Structures are given as C-alpha cells and as structure tokens.
Amino acid sequence: MNLAIIGLGYVGLPLALQFARSGVRVFGLDIDAKKVAALNAGRSYIQHIPAGEIKKFVRAGKFSASADFAKIKNVDAILICVPTPLKKNRAPDLSFVLDTGRVIAPHLRRGQLVVLESTTYPGTTENELRAVLERGSGLKAGKDFHLAYSPEREDPGNPQSRVAEIPKLIGGYTPACLAAAQEVYARAIRTLVPVANCRTAEAAKLLENVFRGVNIALVNELKGVYAALDIDIWDAIAAAKTKPFGFMPFYPGPGLGGHCIPIDPFYLAWRARQAGQETRFVELAGEINRAMPEKVVARVAQALAARKKSLRGARVLVLGLAYKADVDDDRESPSYVLMNLLQARGAQVSYFDPHVPVIRPTREHPQWAGTKSVKWSRKIISAFDAVIISTAHDAINFQQLAGWSPLIVDTRNVMAKIQTAPGQVWKA
Ligand SMILES: NC(=O)c1ccc[n+]([C@@H]2O[C@H](COP(=O)([O-])OP(=O)(O)OC[C@H]3O[C@@H](n4cnc5c(N)ncnc54)[C@H](O)[C@@H]3O)[C@@H](O)[C@H]2O)c1
C-alpha cells in the first residue's frame, strides 16, 4: 500500500510516521519547502517527534517528503491534514482544504481514496471538498473514487498518547467509501469507529472540542465566583473529581490556546447560523474564555499595587509561551494576549520558555517576532517585579522560582505544592 499525506504539521507528520511504522510506504506532501527539506534530511521540526525515527524511515524508503503534488498519481490513498483556521471575523477559512482539493484533483485516478482529516464544520467533505475534487478530475465521488472524513485526535505533549492506540472515527460518503477508508486505517490504527456518514464524523469531532471549550469556560467562570466566596476553585475541583461517575475535571487557566479549542467551535457556530440555528453555549464559552487574559492582567496590577507598585513601568515576565505544558506549539497562545495587554498598560514585558527559545514570525503577533526567551538564572529572574505563570512546563524549576521571584501570579496552581512566603504568590 502507498499513501500520500498532505500537510506535515502536528497532525500529518505523526500520522505519516505511524503508517510508515506499520509498513505502509508514505509520501508526505507539503507546500513548505523548509519542512520538506528537513524531513528528507532526517530532521524533525516538532519537538516531541524524534529525528531518529524520521531518519530511519527515510533511509528504509518508507517515508519521503515532497512538494510535487503530481506524486499522488502513484498512491492508493490521500489523507489531507492541512490547517483550518478562522478568518478575522471568526468565519471558517477553508482555503487550505479547498486549495489542496484543487491541486490534487487533476491527478486523481479511479479507485483512489481521499480522506479529509482537518477539523471542519459538518458538510465540508461531502459538499465543498467533493465539489472541487469532482470538478477538477471529471470523476465522481462514490462511483469513481472513494471519499471519507476521519478526524485526528492528537494529544500533543502527552507521552501516553500514541496515534495507533487512539480510536479513530471514520465516516464515508458511501458505504463502499467507508469500507475503503477502514481498510487503509486498519493498517496503522488499532480501533476504528465507523459512523453513519462524513458529516456525523465532522460533527462528532466538533462535539469533542466544543465540550472542552464549554467546560473550560465553566471552570474559568467559577474561578472568579468562588474566589469572591473565599473558596479556591482548585480545591473544589480536586474534591469534585473524587466522584467516580458523572464528573470530569477541567482546569481554569489564562485563556484558551492551540489550533483547536479556540477555533473549532466557531466552525460549528458559523454552520449553525446558516441553518438558522443558534449556538449560545459556543458563543458564551468563547466570551468567557477570551476575557481571561484581561482578568489575569488585572490581578497582576492588583498584586503590584499591594506592593505600592504600578503596572506602568513594571518589569513583568510571562512564564511559558506555548499554549500547553511540555509542547513547543505557541499558536493562539494566551501568553501572547497577556504580553500585548501588559505592554499596552505600560509594562516592560519579557518571556521565558525552554521550548520556545525565540519567537518565530506569525501573522497574528508580528511585533514579537525575533524576541528571545530570557535566560533562567537567579540574577535575571529576580530582577522582574512580577512573574506570571501562564504555562506550567515540567522543565521549569518552580522551586527555584519561589526562591528568586518576589511576586508570582499563578494561573496554573503549580505553586500550591511549593513553600512560598506569605503574599508572594497570587492565584489568578
Ligand atoms: N494540532 C492538533 O493538536 C490537532 C488535533 C486535532 C485536529 N487538528 C486539526 O488538524 C488540521 C491540521 O492541524 P495541524 O496542527 O497539523 O496544523 P499545522 O499547521 O501544524 O500543519 C499543517 C501543515 O499543512 C501545510 N500546508 C498548508 N497548506 C497546504 C497546502 N495547500 N498543501 C499542502 N500542505 C499545506 C503547512 O505547511 C503545515 O506543514 C487542522 O484542521 C486542525 O484543526 C489539529
């Protein structure tokens, strides 16, 4: 079996390696020439993916990367893992998916399988993607080629999470499409979960992510409510989670980050509006979660004021730039929002992140491009008036932080386990 995987990012690359591991020959396709070159040279650009594995499969001829999309002529199946971001007005941006469809359509052959993996609103595969594939190829989905949707369930930064072990949903455009997709995925994934059709699989993926977004919003809201009642939300969650049924712990934080939870729910909201339906939970959760960085900054100002200091002119360190512990992914990270807000209030802002030594250019935060993480030393860290713990990487020595920093604003409750002086740590 030969496969093409299009989009070699956080989703596509681990998937490609899992197929290679299972003995399938994989062509990775990406428009980013730097990624293509890195992979063929056996280098990794994602921290948790070891270069050694890439090198091994490239050498064995099991994996190669390319920007030549005509290569899809030679494969049995094409899996699409390209980005699905939002536009400025929070409408879905399907351009990456549809561009991919347009580029591969002229090379499509009878009998091939095309699977979309990118998160998107229900209907994308059987409507928009099918239309561009059929138009560009002259072939019919379900008759000449197979079409399916199978969402990724990657859990970055979790060493226990193995692509092969995570049950995978699959919806087909027709029963034959589903069977073809099951045959392909069965080579690499242990448990497959067939569902009624593509749109059900798309909807299930969104349900999973909306569920997270809404529950995080709930604890973010309760954090403030409980604080007003002199109750620590972290204690309340620790207590509630001893219930062996009907409860699942979610934790508050400085806001949402990553390529999924801040974005995907709005794919559903947009599609729902088109169908004349409201998604009030999605909108409300979005509002609450987006308001978190403001609240954290207000707490920093309050903590500084208690020491007769003003945020204006204060030296503030944001600890953790990645959106999640133990990863190097800084997309949509609330740490950027914190840095922007602090700077707007006149603070002098720096960051420390062992996984993000320097900020790469991004569309969203061009002003921070090239900024480097400060070094971790007593002299440097103790010179900041306040440190905000935004992301609690395991690699950060919080014990040392307690010894060095005069004022710590903790959004992750990591300092709870560490001995600190009265008034040194403010939860936010
Ligand atoms: N990151 C996650 O944890 C995660 C989890 C589940 C689902 N998803 C979904 O998977 C999809 C991909 O996310 P990701 O995190 O892997 O993104 P990513 O940005 O890490 O990777 C996407 C890759 O696609 C490439 N690309 C962009 N346009 C292309 C095109 N036209 N042709 C070929 N390659 C192209 C980019 O160069 C990049 O390498 C998204 O829909 C996302 O919502 C992500």
Side-chain angles (χ1 to χ4, degrees):
M1 186 184 281
N2 288 328
L3 266 191
I5 295 194
I6 305 184
L8 301 169
Y10 285 89
V11 165
L13 184 56
L15 189 65
L17 296 178
Q18 178 52 29
F19 273 104
R21 218 173 277 136
S22 315
V24 176
R25 183 142 185 258
V26 183
F27 294 102
L29 294 168
D30 204 293
I31 50 171
D32 185 336
K34 279 200 206 116
K35 286 186 179 167
V36 168
L39 293 171
N40 288 330
R43 289 196 313 271
S44 175
Y45 41 81
I46 298 180
Q47 199 177 40
H48 60 272
I49 297 180
E53 259 217 313
I54 299 173
K55 214 174 276 166
K56 184 174 86 189
F57 294 129
V58 169
R59 279 211 191 116
K62 281 283 164 220
F63 176 65
S64 62
S66 168
D68 175 10
F69 287 72
K71 285 219 184 311
I72 68 138
K73 278 194 207 117
N74 311 319
V75 301
D76 303 294
I78 300 143
L79 315 185
I80 303 173
C81 309
V82 296
T84 44
L86 291 174
K87 296 181 188 160
K88 275 233 158 14
N89 59 359
R90 271 190 230 122
D93 178 1
L94 278 189
S95 62
F96 298 89
V97 171
L98 299 183
D99 284 350
T100 301
R102 278 182 212 107
V103 170
I104 63 173
H107 307 291
L108 265 191
R109 281 189 299 103
R110 273 171 207 282
Q112 280 181 319
L113 165 73
V114 179
V115 187
L116 180 62
E117 291 241 357
S118 307
T119 309
T120 183
Y121 55 78
T124 306
T125 307
E126 59 193 29
N127 297 318
E128 286 91 333
L129 181 60
R130 180 172 66 89
V132 295
L133 291 174
E134 290 186 347
R135 207 176 306 130
S137 67
L139 301 173
K140 282 267 169 250
K143 189 164 143 273
D144 303 318
F145 68 94
H146 298 299
L147 181 63
Y149 179 79
S150 181
E152 190 49 56
R153 282 171 163 167
E154 174 77 351
D155 186 10
N158 175 358
Q160 255 70 53
S161 171
R162 307 254 316 274
V163 179
E165 308 299 331
I166 304 174
K168 199 149 182 18
L169 304 181
I170 311 180
Y173 180 56
T174 65
C177 294
L178 173 61
Q182 282 178 288
E183 200 185 315
V184 168
Y185 282 107
R187 293 288 295 264
I189 312 281
R190 198 181 301 279
T191 310
L192 302 180
V193 185
V195 302
N197 44 40
C198 298
R199 61 185 180 280
T200 304
E202 289 161 336
K205 171 71 190 180
L206 289 182
L207 171 58
E208 293 166 15
N209 285 357
V210 167
F211 176 81
R212 258 187 94 71
V214 166
N215 279 288
I216 292 171
L218 175 65
V219 287
N220 275 338
E221 180 172 73
L222 289 183
K223 177 170 72 171
V225 173
Y226 284 6
L229 303 175
D230 195 22
I231 299 158
D232 185 329
I233 181 78
W234 296 91
D235 292 345
I237 296 169
K241 80 174 190 189
T242 62
K243 185 178 179 185
F245 51 90
F247 184 81
M248 218 178 150
F250 285 85
Y251 299 98
L256 292 185
H259 184 32
C260 298
I261 314 299
I263 292 174
D264 304 346
F266 295 99
Y267 268 69
L268 182 61
W270 182 86
R271 185 68 191 90
R273 269 200 302 283
Q274 289 200 321
Q277 299 293 314
E278 286 183 44
T279 47
R280 283 180 289 168
F281 270 110
V282 169
E283 300 294 345
L284 179 61
E287 266 171 48
I288 293 175
N289 289 329
R290 275 196 304 279
M292 295 317 291
E294 258 315 338
K295 295 198 166 163
V296 173
V297 170
R299 190 78 170 145
V300 177
Q302 191 189 4
L304 284 166
R307 298 178 168 231
K308 306 211 171 4
K309 285 189 179 166
S310 159
L311 191 51
R312 180 159 298 282
R315 295 194 65 204
V316 180
L317 181 72
V318 173
L319 208 55
L321 192 68
Y323 79 93
K324 176 179 180 181
D326 308 330
V327 303
D328 60 350
D329 186 352
D330 60 350
R331 290 177 294 174
E332 309 285 328
S333 175
S335 298
Y336 282 115
V337 186
L338 289 174
M339 285 161 56
N340 292 344
L341 291 172
L342 290 162
Q343 201 175 48
R345 304 268 301 262
Q348 294 176 45
V349 189
S350 302
Y351 83 95
F352 173 77
D353 193 315
H355 302 296
V356 189
V358 57
I359 297 178
R360 285 165 297 191
T362 58
R363 259 182 306 164
E364 299 78 26
H365 312 288
Q367 73 277 27
W368 295 108
T371 307
K372 290 195 175 113
S373 165
V374 300
K375 296 264 173 310
W376 187 257
S377 76
R378 175 191 285 273
K379 186 159 173 264
I380 289 168
I381 302 299
S382 62
F384 287 96
D385 298 304
V387 174
I388 307 176
I389 300 173
S390 184
T391 307
H393 293 304
D394 277 349
I396 296 176
N397 188 333
F398 293 102
Q399 194 79 51
Q400 279 181 335
L401 180 69
W404 296 347
S405 170
L407 182 58
I408 301 165
V409 176
D410 183 4
T411 72
R412 301 287 186 182
N413 204 35
V414 271
M415 299 308 289
K417 303 179 285 285
I418 290 168
Q419 213 178 358
T420 50
Q424 186 187 7
V425 176
W426 290 57
K427 291 194 189 191

